[in-house]
Every structure is written in structure tokens, then in C-alpha cells.
Amino acid sequence: MTNLVYLVPLFPLIGFLINGIGWRKIPKSAGGVIGSVAVLASFAVSLGIFFEVKAAGTGTTVHLFDFIQSGSLNIPFIFQVDALSSLFLLIITGVGFLIHVYSTSYMHDDEGMVKYFAYLNLFVFSMLLLVLGGNYLIMFIGWEGVGLCSYLLIGFWFKNREYTNAAKKAFVMNRIGDLGFLVGMLLVLFNFGTLSYQDLFGQISAGTSPVTDSTYNWIAICFFIGAMGKSAQLPLYTWLPDAMAGPTPVSALIHAATMVTAGIYMIARSSVLYNLAPMAQDLVAVIGLATAIIAASIAIKQYDIKKVLAYSTVSQLGFMFLALGVGAYTTAVFHVMTHAFFKALLFLGSGSVIHAMGGEQDIRKMGGLNKHMKITGITFLIGCLAIAGIPGLSGFFSKDEILASVYAHSPVMYYLALGAALMTAFYMFRLYFLTFTGKFRGTHEQEHHLHESPAAITIPLVVLAILSIVGGYIGLPPVISEHHTLNAYLAPVVSNFNVHHLEHATEWMLMGLSTGLVIIMIGVAYSLTKNPNFAPNTGIAKVLENKWYVDEVYDAVIVRPIAALSGLLNNIVERMGIDGAVNGVGKLVNWSGGKIRLFQSGQVGFYIFAMVLGITVLFAISFFWIQ
Amino acid sequence: MILTLLILIPLVAGIISMFAKGAAKGIALTAAIATTVTTVLLLMAMNAVATGGYTEWSIPWIPTLGANISLMADGMAGMLCLLTGIVMTVVFITNWNKDVENPGSFYGLMLLSQAGITGVFLASDALLFYFFWELALIPVYFLCSQWGGEKRIAVTFKFFIYTFLGSLMLLAGLIYLSLQNPGGDSFAWENIKRAGASLPVDQQQWLFWLIFIAFAIKMPIFPFHTWQPDTYEQSPTPVTIVLSALMVKMGVFGVLRWLLPVVPEGVAFWSDTVMTLSVIGIVYASLLAIVQTDLKRLVAYSSIAHMGLMSAAAFANNGVATHGLMVQMFNHGINIAGMWVIVSMIEQRWGTRNMKELGGMAITAPLMTITLVIISLANIALPLTNGFIGEFMLFNGLFSGTSQYSMTFMVIAGLGIILGAIYTLNMVQRTAYGEAVALKQGGDLTKNEYIGLAIIIALIIVLGVYPKPLLDLTAGMATMVMP
């Protein structure tokens, strides 16, 4: 099966080519089927690979063809099949497939549906390349590929200027990160002469490389800059909330199965490297924690159902980076997985709601939807319970593991992270109560149209809801079970660093504390939303509603100065300075031509005199110079 | 014989075209295809002969001066001849349906220029090189001033002054070098190289500029670039393609063949200066590209930014950089030719190049939009397009170069990938997206445009996924160029 690994990205690529080339001819439903089947086929192969890797216990490298070769520089096109990549394959193709199925119904009225499925398959293809790559360059190909696909899908409804602006913003912000990734790669190449994981980590583990600590830190920081862009961390996170301009299933794809988890994957993949870069690790932890808190605070005051979810993704990604930063790589991967389940569920659920509401996304105009759409309501509730960290659901296990690792690392960080987790519980249940309980606040016509979505939408919701419940049992905390299935699986690839184990009593205490507080937060959310009051926000609430004015600050500090500089260069330096000088030379030639014309006086005597003078000078030169 | 054919085919076809009127475009296309096929045969033959150079014809030309008519092809020359053939073919295919005033002279001059460009790449004698250099340029002056836009005369004059100034200095430099050959005056490449390299350091230092200025103007390198946006804007599109896809390569080629190995000490002394100018040029041109509203000027500044990276890498004194330069010369030529074809189609259909008056092409001309998007992605070097391979190698070479500022140069040059995304996506957004602006004439791609662009797109993707053929062809160059 491992030899057939090329099939995994090949199927979506074929799907992309069929739908991409035939997008005007292929009927809509056929396009949906082609796209979905392609990903399902990948999922099937991925399952086979997963179990094979699990049985073998080790990974392999599959060489496809020579890619870039120049002198001693040799970067082949290789795939790395091991525990980490095979786990990600399952998440990407599994959750991806559900999103495809969902889309067949959700996008059915859109004239660009076939094109949409082509993009969706290309997205999955890129993400698969990203995780399968056996060296950083192949990862980079997928890395930029998902950037492109997000660009195409965010701006899918291209007539709307705001949407295409959001698409452009996503791409450019990602590119800023990509430059960091590129520099990181060049540093690795320069110092180790290879980009392949096996060679690189082999060299590092063997301790044969003469690389200094600061170099390790620089490489790790450069890679992290790449991750900041792709995984929406401070300060490059503002593209992700805008990215919800695309169709809702795309948001689910970006936020859950693909794209934003790339940064987590990259650092988990590079754990050997990060273990030697303590400064970079601290940076990762601090940025992650700050992102978790700031994004959670913004989510509290948003009224757009997708915006709340978008900021919650940013915040959850912050948690994952926090875990990475304290060396608990497998924990971060664990949270990637559970988050993929419940975030896909929540986004798809919100799509079901938006569908029923006729495109409305403002939760102030919703309410009481439970009565009309039971399956969506119940599955959404399960998603909220999971993300809030209610014991028994998947989110609890992974989040608890993060918090425990952070506590062992630094209690101060733990309390801050706990604060963010409590905000999460609050804003998610504020969202749930405002949307699904109480009275309907929309128009009469909207209420009339409220309905449960068709099976192609509800079945993925139910499957994801089940996964959101049971997904956590592969990573039971030590107080319950000594065997951590996921950690055992990942152990050959990802080496956790310096993770202290807590006393059982401490761990029980932490678990009880966070659970108790989360339940209290849910109660607070309930009481505050019982009689909702949507008076204009003032003070800090207004700042939160306006997302700390970060977009405005970026605009004033970065965007406008660059535009002003460009205008200045264009109008002053280019036109008057450089070109002015050149045109001056041109005028000089014209002018001197005019003067020289005067020598052509028509008097033969003058001509003879000039000739004699010229010949003499030439002779003189040849005599003195050449001799 | 095969090298001579490469020059003779367009030369003879060009002269015939002058008198052929309506049949000229057919002759031109046939000649372009014939040179492409001949080049492919040449490349196969070279493969069979051996690595290294493939020479033929060394007959005396002006014996008293030590000038010979001698031609030579190696991986770089072969690759550039192939590029020339392909680009000219695409130009003639996509231009097929357009009415050109006085077609005989137009296509004739285009072919003469092609003969000159090919000669530049194949000449192994400095005087012959100079002869072809001028032969390539002179038809362009005429093409520009006869078939150009409103401001063509002023712009052609500026272009002429720039290039002529550079050419004169180049000639002076080459003559000086030919006089330094210990075994008697000679313009042969080997002798020029030997003569130059044996000169004292201070002489190499001023000779460097004498030779380099012509190449710097041609590429162009900041701040020698201001002729370029004007000329690109005013020239008819086929000429713009020749200028930007092929003639700028004459500049890079000149540096690699007639500068780096000839005055190595001068290069060592000035390379930091040139690299500084180059990376400034990348950021400068990219910033200017952001505020352009005219499509042609935007692409022109984008090209200056790309050339900045290439010239910086040329002076990085690194094998991967030189090898990447080979790849990038080819790919830049392909991509920018495609870009100009699209721009000219837009101008023809909507009657404007002003992006503020465009929009919604994705609705009105979806096939055109797809090609525009793919070419734009290659322009910003997205992986799996041809642009990425070269750019990655250039960055890598720049980063590991011998200059003490290598990393700084690379990081500043790297800003280009961010700025490049900004202006390129701006362009896509303003032309392809938004509400549809109705076409003034025509529709989506015509058959000949479709074929021409299909060639471009195929090369973009094939060489982006599997660059090995191009890398193998030019693999020897990294060691040949550098002393």
C-alpha cells in the first residue's frame, strides 16, 4: 500500500483536471460526484496506508522523480510516509470527503458548481502534497498551493469586490509568511546541504553538524514565520476571519481539514529541530498564547455566525501553538485532529443555518432555530460542548492535555490559557443560545422558510458529531489510562521535549477546576442571552466588536505608507529624477547637434582645415599611444 | 552548418518577406517554426557530440583586425536559440489574424531582428557579436517608430540614445580587449577572455563598466531602466515581446559570456555594487508596479523586478545561481511573452489598457481569464509553475553567494515575492473580477490565439513539474561561465 502512496494526491488531481477542463460541459451533479469520489478514493488508500504504517511501526520514503538538481544541490520529489503524515492524510481526506458531500447539496444552486469542485479537489491535492512531502521543498509546494486554492475559493464569487479583496489579503499575508519559510529553507540548505527530513534530522540527531545554537534558533524562527501566515497567528492572522467571504463549506475546509493546520504540521514535523531551539520555542509558546487570548476576546463580541467561528479557529490554533511551544508536539497534533472534527461540524452547521435563513449570517436576527432544524441544532450543540471542553467529548481530552502540559511548563501561562479556554466556552454558548434557543428575531418571511437541510447536509453533520464525541478516546489522560494510543503511534516520528508529568492529584485538580469554570461560563452565557439586548456597544465592548482595530492599524502603518511610497517613487523619483536626467541627456544631444550643424558652413577651406587638423591628431595619437 | 542555418533562415526569410506583402506572415511563421525545429535538432546533435561547446565555421572576416566569422553553441546558447524560436513562433501565431499596415516590411524586420538575436547568442567572435548586437537592434528602431503608439517618435529616440550609448562603450571595450591579445590582435572569445583576465586589476575595473553598461541598459538594471516602460508601452505588441522576452536575455547573456569570464577581477571588485543596484531595483520596480494603472506599464515594471533578481544572481558567483539563471532566462521569456499576448488581446477587445476601465473578464472571456491567471501565477513563481524552479535556484544561489552581504541581498530580493503577489493579484482582480465590462469587439480566444497560448501554458506547467530537461541541457554552464 505504501508504494501506492502517489495515488493519494493523484485522485484529487485527476478530479481537478476533469472538472477543471470540462467545467462548462459537465453537469453540476456529475461534477459533485467526480469531486467527492476522488477524495473518497484517496481516503480509502489513506486508510490502507495508515494501518500499514501502524503495523510496521516505521515510515518509509518513496522516491517519485528528480526535481531540482544542480551540482551538489539535489532535491528529489519524494514522499514521506510515516505515522505523522498518515494521520494527517486521514484527517484531510476523511473530513475533506464529508465537506465534499456536504457541498454537493450546499452549492447546488450555484452556476459555478463544477468549477467549485475543481478548486476543492485542487485544495485537497495541495494539502496532501504538503503533508506527504519528504523534504521541505515539497512541503513548500503544497504550502503555496493551499494558499492559491484559498485565494481562488475565498474569491469564488468574484463579482463582489470585497470578496476578491479578502482573497487577495489572504494570499498576500500568506506570502509574507512564505518568505520566512523560504529563508528558513535556504538556511537549512546552506548549513546542512539537504532539505530532506531524513537526512536533516539524521544529521541533527547524530550531532555531527557543526551548526551553532543561534542558527537552530534562526531556522526555527523563520519556519515559524511561515507558520504564522498559514496558521493565522499574531501578527498575520487577520486574513482568516476575512476568508469567510468564500462559500461556507470552504471555510470548513480551510479551518478544519486543510490550510491552517499546515503550520502545526510543519512544527510537529520539525520537532527535532525545535527541540534544539529553545528561544524559538518560547516565541512559539508566547505567540500562541497571545493569539489564543486576543482572538477569543474578539469572538465574544462578534455578531456574524461565521466570524465567531473564524475567531474561535484563530484562538484554537493559538492553543495548538502553545502546546508546540512547550514541547508537547503530539498534544498539538491531537488537538488538530479533534478540532478538525468539531470545527468542521460547527462550520457546516453554520452553513446549514445560513442556508435555512436565506443567506442571513447575523445572529441578532436568529433565535429559536432548534424548533425548525433539530439535527442541525443538536449536532451544533455537540460541537459547542466539544470545543468548550465538557468531559467525555473529544475537545476535553485534547484541551486538557494542552493545559496540563502548559501547567507543567509554567503555571502563569496556564492561568492565562485557562482564561482563553473560559472565553471559548462563553462565546460558543453565547452563539449557540442566540442562534438556536429563545424566540426567532428575523423577519416573518425568513421564519416561514425555516427548514431542516437535506440529507447530503445532515449526514455529514451527524458523522462529524459522532467523531466529535468519540475522537478524544485515542488520547486518554494518564490519570485514566497509562496507555496513550496517539502518543504511542506518533512516537517514532515526533519527539516530545521536556514534558513533565504531573502528579495525579494535581491533574485531577486542574481538570476539576477547568470543568467547573467552563460550566459556570456556560451558565453565564445562558443568563446573558436569555433576554438579548443588542444596544450599541461602548467602551471595551466596542473595541472588541471592532477587533481591537487591528485592521485599521495595519492599514495606517503598513498599507497606506507603502501606497504613498509607491506613488512618490512613481511621480517624483521615476518621472523627474531618473527619467529627467535621461531626458536631459537627450536634450543635450539635440542641442549639441544644433551647434555642430554650424560647422557645416559650406566653405571648402574650412573643411580642408578641419580634415588636416583631424588627420594630424590621429597620427599624433597613434604615434605616442600605440608605440 | 546547423548553426549558420539558425541565422540564415530568418535572415533570408526576412529579406524575402520584405517583398512578399500579404504572404509575409506565412513566410514568417514558417521561418520561425523552421528555426525552432532546427534548434531542437541542434540540441539533439549537441547531446550526441559531447558536453561543452559545439563550434563550427571559423573563417576569416577582417584579417587585419583579427576578426573571424565563427559560431559556437553550448547549453546556454542552445537554450536561448530554442527560446527565440518558440517565442517568435508564438508571436507569429497569435498575431496571425491582426491587420498590420505594410506587412512585408513588418514581418521582414521582425525576422531580421530574430536573425540578429540568434547571432548574438551564437557568435564566438567579439566583433561578430557586436555586429549581431546591432543587427538585432536596428530593425527594432524602425518597428518602433513606424508601427508604434502615439508617442513613438520621442520614445524611439530615447530608446535609441540609451542603447546606442551603451553599444558604443561596448564596442570601445571590445576593441581595447582585442588589442591586448599577446599573440596578435584577435576578437576570438578565447583570446578576448585570456587577454581580459591577464590585464591588471585597475584596468579590469574600468573596462568592467565600459562593457557592462550596454548589458545593464539592455536587461535593464536600475537605474538604467527608464527607456523600458515607455518603449514597451509604445511598441506594437510583437515588438514588445521581442524586446522583453528575447532582447533582455541578450543583456544577461552578454554578462555571462562577455563580462564575467573576461574581466574577472573587475567583476569581483564591482559585484557588490551591481548586486546592490539589482536588489534596489527589485523593490523599486515592484513598488512602482503597484501604482500603475496601464497594463503594459505594470508588466514592464514587473519585468524590471524579475530582471533585478536575475542580474543579482548573475553576480553572486555561485554555481546554483548561474544554473538557475539559465532556467529563469528561458522561463521568464516564455511567461512574459504569454503576458504580453494577453495584454494585447485585452487592448484589442476592450479598446483600453487602463485597468480602471476593465473588469469581469471571467464572465465575458473565461478562457482568456484562465490563461491570464495561470501566467500570472507563473509570474509570481508559484510552485509547480516554471517560474518557481528558476526563482528558487536564484534565491538559493544568491543566498550562498560569495559576497559578505549575500543574506541581506537575498532577504531584500525576497521582498519581491510579496510585492509581486500584490501587483500581480491586483491586476488579475481589476481585469478578471468584478462586474463585467462589455467587449467592444471580438470574443473569447480565437483559434490561433488558443494555439499560441496553449504552447505557453504547456511549457509553464511541464517545466514547472519536471524541469529536468532544461536543467540537464544547461548543467554544464554553471562551471563554464565562472572562471
Side-chain angles (χ1 to χ4, degrees):
Chain A
M1 211 70 189
T2 317
N3 299 333
L4 297 177
V5 64
Y6 63 88
L7 287 175
V8 177
L10 187 66
F11 286 127
L13 181 64
I14 292 172
F16 160 71
L17 290 175
I18 295 175
N19 279 336
I21 292 169
W23 63 283
R24 290 197 288 193
K25 306 256 168 68
I26 295 174
K28 280 190 206 167
S29 42
V33 171
I34 293 168
S36 308
V37 167
V39 181
L40 182 64
S42 289
F43 179 67
V45 180
S46 303
L47 263 182
I49 290 172
F50 178 82
F51 285 113
E52 199 173 295
V53 171
K54 194 164 190 282
T58 55
T60 48
T61 309
V62 179
H63 184 281
L64 296 182
F65 54 87
D66 285 342
F67 190 48
I68 296 182
Q69 201 191 4
S70 170
S72 60
L73 174 74
N74 186 8
I75 307 173
F77 209 105
I78 47 172
F79 283 165
Q80 177 85 25
V81 187
D82 58 18
L84 187 62
S85 55
S86 63
L87 180 71
F88 269 84
L89 289 188
L90 283 185
I91 299 173
I92 295 161
T93 54
V95 178
F97 170 65
L98 294 173
I99 293 168
H100 276 68
V101 171
Y102 178 98
S103 298
T104 55
S105 169
Y106 192 86
M107 295 298 287
H108 202 268
D109 297 329
D110 197 289
E111 51 181 338
M113 180 167 160
V114 180
K115 196 169 71 174
Y116 168 87
F117 272 98
Y119 291 166
L120 226 51
N121 274 359
L122 186 64
F123 209 143
V124 172
F125 164 76
S126 306
M127 192 65 196
L128 291 171
L129 271 193
L130 194 158
V131 298
L132 274 176
N135 58 47
Y136 282 108
L137 195 75
I138 309 301
M139 188 199 276
F140 189 73
I141 293 174
W143 190 268
E144 289 241 302
V146 292
L148 165 70
C149 297
S150 65
Y151 167 78
L152 293 171
L153 282 164
I154 294 166
F156 184 72
W157 290 309
F158 57 80
K159 284 185 206 168
N160 186 320
R161 185 73 185 259
E162 258 179 51
Y163 292 0
T164 50
N165 276 341
K168 206 169 63 183
K169 181 175 176 182
F171 194 91
V172 171
M173 280 216 156
N174 269 293
R175 268 265 156 146
I176 298 173
D178 292 352
L179 179 58
F181 192 161
L182 182 66
V183 175
M185 275 201 291
L186 297 181
L187 274 169
V188 170
L189 259 183
F190 187 76
N191 287 296
F192 297 93
T194 178
L195 284 178
S196 115
Y197 306 141
Q198 272 196 330
D199 294 353
L200 172 65
F201 301 145
Q203 279 188 42
I204 295 177
S205 305
T208 49
S209 65
V211 174
T212 60
D213 286 354
S214 82
T215 310
Y216 281 125
N217 275 313
W218 275 114
I219 295 171
I221 288 171
C222 284
F223 280 154
F224 180 50
I225 291 172
M228 280 177 191
K230 197 74 31 184
S231 296
Q233 295 298 290
L234 277 174
L236 299 177
Y237 71 97
T238 59
W239 67 270
L240 188 59
D242 288 10
M244 43 156 246
T248 306
V250 172
S251 309
L253 197 61
I254 292 178
H255 289 248
T258 63
M259 186 104 178
V260 295
T261 56
I264 319 287
Y265 170 78
M266 171 210 251
I267 293 181
R269 174 58 81 193
S270 318
S271 59
V272 178
L273 182 72
Y274 276 82
N275 286 341
L276 294 172
M279 257 172 56
Q281 272 204 322
D282 287 345
L283 184 71
V284 173
V286 169
I287 295 271
L289 182 58
T291 310
I293 295 169
I294 287 176
S297 73
I298 295 172
I300 289 175
K301 278 291 163 193
Q302 298 305 309
Y303 295 109
D304 184 315
I305 184 168
K306 283 171 79 179
K307 274 237 154 116
V308 177
L309 293 176
Y311 279 103
S312 114
T313 303
V314 177
S315 172
Q316 294 299 310
L317 289 166
F319 274 105
M320 297 175 208
F321 278 100
L322 177 58
L324 294 171
V326 300
Y329 305 103
T330 54
T331 309
V333 174
F334 186 20
H335 201 55
V336 164
M337 193 193 82
T338 60
H339 178 259
F341 298 148
F342 57 69
K343 190 50 64 68
L345 169 61
L346 290 167
F347 257 112
L348 295 182
S350 79
S352 178
V353 167
I354 295 164
H355 203 57
M357 293 286 296
E360 182 61 71
Q361 299 185 192
D362 192 332
I363 51 176
R364 283 173 292 198
K365 293 174 187 153
M366 298 178 186
L369 295 186
N370 252 341
K371 279 171 246 146
H372 305 278
M373 29 200 330
K374 285 225 163 52
I375 303 178
T376 306
I378 291 169
T379 51
F380 201 92
L381 177 62
I382 292 171
C384 290
L385 291 168
I387 194 176
I390 295 296
L393 284 84
S394 63
F396 168 77
F397 296 107
S398 54
K399 190 177 281 186
D400 180 71
E401 207 176 297
I402 293 178
L403 289 175
S405 319
V406 174
Y407 186 83
H409 185 80
S410 147
V412 177
M413 287 176 113
Y414 167 79
Y415 288 113
L416 291 170
L418 182 63
L422 296 180
M423 283 193 264
T424 309
F426 174 78
Y427 67 71
M428 284 313 299
F429 275 89
R430 165 182 173 271
L431 177 67
Y432 175 76
F433 290 132
L434 282 178
T435 311
F436 289 98
T437 65
K439 277 203 197 98
F440 187 70
R441 294 179 296 273
T443 62
H444 204 67
E445 204 196 321
Q446 279 174 327
E447 188 168 16
H448 186 70
H449 281 117
L450 286 177
H451 60 277
E452 183 57 277
S453 300
I457 287 184
T458 50
I459 291 172
L461 291 180
V462 172
V463 175
L464 286 167
I466 295 169
L467 289 170
S468 300
I469 297 171
V470 303
Y473 289 91
I474 58 161
L476 295 174
V479 287
I480 298 173
S481 158
E482 281 302 319
H483 183 71
H484 194 292
T485 318
L486 183 71
N487 280 1
Y489 180 65
L490 290 175
V493 187
V494 183
S495 36
N496 278 354
F497 181 65
N498 229 358
V499 175
H500 307 285
H501 283 285
L502 298 170
E503 297 282 323
H504 280 196
T506 319
E507 208 176 325
W508 280 119
M509 189 272 289
L510 294 178
M511 236 184 255
L513 178 68
S514 63
T515 307
L517 289 173
V518 160
I519 291 169
I520 292 172
M521 289 318 283
I522 295 173
V524 173
Y526 179 71
S527 64
L528 285 179
T529 51
K530 211 169 173 191
N531 295 303
N533 168 20
F534 300 118
N537 285 316
T538 52
I540 181 76
K542 192 175 173 203
V543 175
L544 293 180
E545 189 187 349
N546 286 297
K547 306 144 201 159
W548 295 96
Y549 296 100
V550 172
D551 275 317
E552 285 77 1
V553 171
Y554 285 179
D555 195 50
V557 177
I558 299 166
V559 180
R560 264 183 265 161
I562 287 183
L565 177 64
S566 299
L568 186 81
L569 292 178
N570 190 39
N571 296 324
I572 311 287
V573 179
E574 181 82 349
R575 294 253 162 86
M576 293 161 82
I578 299 174
D579 210 24
V582 175
N583 287 338
V585 173
K587 287 210 184 84
L588 184 73
V589 172
N590 264 340
W591 174 84
S592 51
K595 292 289 171 205
I596 291 167
R597 190 171 53 89
L598 299 179
F599 288 111
Q600 299 182 342
S601 54
Q603 293 167 355
V604 180
F606 177 75
Y607 288 165
I608 291 171
F609 169 70
M611 262 171 72
V612 171
L613 189 69
I615 291 167
T616 317
V617 170
L618 283 178
F619 269 111
I621 289 174
S622 67
F623 185 77
F624 288 110
W625 193 39
I626 294 175
Q627 291 302 312
Chain B
M1 194 59 207
I2 197 164
L3 298 185
T4 324
L5 262 183
L6 282 180
I7 300 168
L8 275 184
I9 294 172
L11 191 69
V12 173
I15 293 166
I16 297 172
S17 295
M18 294 275 185
F19 308 99
K21 288 187 183 158
K25 65 180 179 183
I27 296 171
L29 181 57
T30 315
I33 293 174
T35 46
T36 312
V37 173
T38 315
T39 313
V40 173
L41 293 176
L42 164 73
L43 297 182
M44 286 158 69
M46 271 167 63
N47 227 356
V49 170
T51 47
Y54 173 84
T55 51
E56 67 178 39
W57 276 129
S58 200
I59 52 166
W61 180 25
I62 313 174
T64 46
L65 294 177
N68 295 304
I69 295 185
S70 58
L71 303 177
M72 170 184 85
D74 51 16
M76 171 163 62
M79 177 273 293
L80 287 167
C81 287
L82 185 66
L83 175 69
T84 308
I86 294 173
V87 166
M88 294 309 283
T89 307
V90 169
V91 166
F92 294 136
I93 290 178
T94 53
N95 213 47
W96 189 261
N97 283 346
K98 293 209 184 91
D99 287 325
V100 184
E101 236 179 278
N102 204 350
S105 316
F106 181 81
Y107 286 104
L109 287 169
M110 289 287 287
L111 286 170
L112 287 187
S113 186
Q114 185 191 351
I117 294 167
T118 313
V120 165
F121 298 144
L122 294 177
S124 75
D125 180 281
L127 203 62
L128 191 67
F129 168 76
Y130 180 77
F131 170 77
F132 282 124
W133 181 273
E134 292 300 325
L135 178 66
L137 277 170
I138 290 165
V140 170
Y141 299 140
F142 287 111
L143 284 164
C144 239
S145 60
Q146 289 296 309
W147 286 269
E150 283 166 26
K151 290 183 277 180
R152 58 180 185 268
I153 299 299
V155 166
T156 310
F157 183 61
K158 183 158 136 189
F159 174 50
F160 176 78
I161 295 282
Y162 251 114
T163 47
F164 192 67
L165 212 67
S167 294
L168 278 185
M169 291 167 76
L170 174 65
L171 181 62
L174 292 177
I175 290 176
Y176 182 80
L177 280 166
S178 79
L179 298 175
Q180 309 302 317
N181 187 42
D185 299 353
S186 171
F187 280 98
W189 182 58
E190 292 292 340
N191 292 336
I192 292 270
K193 242 182 10 173
R194 199 177 325 128
S198 61
L199 285 176
V201 179
D202 58 323
Q203 284 201 41
Q204 290 197 28
Q205 284 172 8
W206 61 257
L207 257 173
F208 174 88
W209 286 103
L210 216 50
I211 301 173
F212 178 59
I213 292 277
F215 303 147
I217 290 171
K218 207 87 238 102
M219 284 203 254
I221 293 177
F222 172 88
F224 304 104
H225 66 277
T226 61
W227 64 271
Q228 202 206 40
D230 288 341
T231 313
Y232 284 9
E233 187 189 358
Q234 293 297 321
S235 301
T237 303
V239 178
T240 311
I241 295 178
V242 170
L243 279 168
S244 59
L246 304 176
M247 288 210 160
V248 297
K249 305 304 174 324
M250 288 172 24
V252 185
F253 173 88
V255 167
L256 295 177
R257 171 126 323 149
W258 295 100
L259 183 71
L260 296 186
V262 172
V263 283
E265 298 289 337
V267 171
F269 185 81
W270 290 114
S271 58
D272 276 352
T273 311
V274 177
M275 286 164 84
T276 308
L277 287 178
S278 302
V279 296
I280 290 175
I282 295 172
V283 177
Y284 179 83
S286 302
L287 285 172
L288 282 176
I290 292 175
V291 287
Q292 301 304 318
T293 50
D294 184 298
L295 278 172
K296 272 195 160 182
R297 294 190 77 86
L298 186 147
V299 179
Y301 281 110
S302 158
S303 179
I304 296 174
H306 284 118
M307 295 314 294
L309 179 58
M310 288 163 77
S311 72
F315 288 89
N317 189 22
N318 177 281
V320 177
T322 311
H323 201 182
L325 209 49
M326 302 293 145
V327 178
Q328 193 69 345
M329 274 199 270
F330 190 86
N331 291 334
H332 174 266
I334 294 295
N335 299 347
I336 200 156
M339 197 63 112
W340 288 126
V341 169
I342 303 251
V343 167
S344 103
M345 287 177 353
I346 291 175
E347 188 180 7
Q348 187 199 11
R349 284 162 170 77
W350 278 274
T352 179
R353 293 190 309 259
N354 188 343
M355 290 192 291
K356 285 181 180 162
E357 297 165 19
L358 294 166
M361 200 166 84
I363 306 164
T364 48
L367 287 178
M368 246 170 94
T369 304
I370 292 171
T371 43
L372 171 69
V373 170
I374 294 176
I375 294 168
S376 299
L377 296 176
N379 195 45
I380 56 176
L382 200 85
L384 299 188
T385 66
N386 60 354
F388 175 68
I389 311 292
E391 202 165 291
F392 179 76
M393 291 174 76
L394 294 183
F395 277 129
N396 184 31
L398 196 53
F399 194 81
S400 346
T402 48
S403 166
Q404 53 177 323
Y405 311 111
S406 287
M407 293 189 187
T408 316
F409 287 143
M410 185 269 142
V411 172
I412 296 173
L415 293 176
I417 71 170
I418 300 169
L419 298 170
I422 296 175
Y423 63 72
T424 308
L425 295 184
N426 260 338
M427 179 188 69
V428 172
Q429 184 187 29
R430 285 179 165 190
T431 53
Y433 301 149
E435 292 297 332
V437 175
L439 287 105
K440 287 225 172 70
Q441 56 167 322
D444 211 342
L445 298 181
T446 60
K447 200 168 270 174
N448 62 314
E449 289 165 344
Y450 191 90
I451 296 169
L453 286 170
I455 296 172
I456 302 272
I457 302 288
L459 286 168
I460 286 178
I461 293 171
V462 170
L463 292 177
V465 177
Y466 194 66
K468 200 171 183 335
L470 197 52
L471 286 167
D472 286 351
L473 172 64
T474 52
M477 295 316 298
T479 45
M480 274 184 75
V481 168
M482 282 182 313

